Amino acid sequence: ERNLVLAGRIRALAREFDTEPVAVALAWTLLLPGITVAIPGAKSPDQIRGHVLAEALIQNDSAAEKIRQLGEM
């Protein structure tokens, strides 16, 4: 159930930021304490686009703060 709640929060933030859920999920992973790198897989250019968008979210202070709060349940 916790994972379903987290997935819903990720989708909601993706809509708020007008981006893909994968970008929010990857940004959240990279913002976790102790994480220095993530190695996402991609099978298409669209998937790579989502990975690149994660960096833009991390660089946006207000977006990054909202993303950090995802795990606070």
Side-chain angles (χ1 to χ4, degrees):
E1 186 176 316
R2 183 178 187 272
N3 289 341
L4 293 175
V5 171
L6 179 58
R9 288 178 160 187
I10 288 171
R11 284 191 300 273
L13 278 181
R15 283 189 299 271
E16 179 180 334
F17 300 143
D18 193 29
T19 192
E20 302 290 329
V22 67
V24 175
L26 183 56
W28 177 63
T29 300
L30 292 169
L31 289 166
L32 290 171
I35 302 296
T36 56
V37 69
I39 305 172
K43 294 182 181 178
S44 72
D46 285 338
Q47 290 176 333
I48 293 169
R49 186 176 135 268
H51 300 165
V52 172
L53 293 172
E55 182 61 27
L57 293 173
I58 291 169
Q59 296 301 318
N60 179 311
D61 291 337
S62 64
E65 183 56 35
K66 287 182 178 183
I67 292 169
R68 278 188 192 94
Q69 294 172 4
L70 279 171
E72 297 173 8
M73 296 183 185

